[in-house]
Amino acid sequence: MGIILLAIILLVIAADAWVRLAPIDPARFVVAGRAKSPGDHPEPGGFQAAREVEDPQVQMVALDKIIRATARTRRVEGSPEAGQVAYVTRSAFWGFPDVTTLWVDGQTIQIRGHLVFGRSDLGVNKARIQGWLDEAGL
């Protein structure tokens, strides 16, 4: 019985380490061809929103500040000045990563969040993105 329990514990630790340490494919940060018309766009495993704004660069800087202040979120690529930024937000317990990309397309701010592992994000990307947009007044 003790060996089975130890095997289960080791399996759980290995699974957690794999989720936390597995590299994220850089292709997940690519935004070319992903811009959408203004509005909200649910996706399998994620969510995308586009907002038409007067000054996209100013809004991008404001959103970047809000996003970087979010728990367990870090910027992994780009900058507001470059016009594209990618972030990874990890769940509290398992550390499951969600990738969010923020970019300017013409007069729109585009923001897309999606899971890395699994098929359903249970709506967390939509809730997170809408919270950021609400905080930014968008």
Side-chain angles (χ1 to χ4, degrees):
M1 184 68 155
I3 293 174
I4 292 173
L5 183 58
L6 179 61
I8 291 171
I9 291 171
L10 290 174
L11 183 64
V12 168
I13 290 170
D16 184 53
W18 181 74
V19 166
R20 289 180 187 271
L21 301 175
I24 296 172
D25 181 1
R28 292 191 176 271
F29 306 139
V30 174
V31 297
R34 295 190 187 268
K36 299 201 175 172
S37 60
D40 294 338
H41 306 277
E43 301 178 351
F47 181 77
Q48 183 168 335
R51 300 291 186 266
E52 193 166 345
V53 295
E54 285 186 32
D55 192 340
Q57 192 60 39
V58 168
Q59 291 298 327
M60 189 168 187
V61 169
L63 272 169
D64 176 69
K65 183 177 179 183
I66 292 166
I67 293 168
R68 286 184 298 114
T70 303
R72 299 175 312 282
T73 300
R74 65 183 179 90
R75 186 190 304 167
V76 294
E77 186 176 283
S79 69
E81 297 75 30
Q84 178 184 341
V85 190
Y87 311 87
V88 172
T89 303
R90 293 193 174 269
S91 63
F93 183 73
W94 281 106
F96 280 104
D98 288 331
V99 172
T100 302
T101 48
L102 172 66
W103 74 100
V104 172
D105 183 75
Q107 285 301 114
T108 64
I109 287 285
Q110 304 274 331
I111 185 167
R112 179 177 184 262
H114 56 94
L115 55 73
V116 173
F117 300 109
R119 295 178 190 222
S120 173
D121 69 346
L122 303 175
V124 297
N125 282 294
K126 179 179 180 181
R128 185 182 305 120
I129 288 171
Q130 286 182 328
W132 291 335
L133 292 172
D134 289 347
E135 190 172 340
L138 299 174

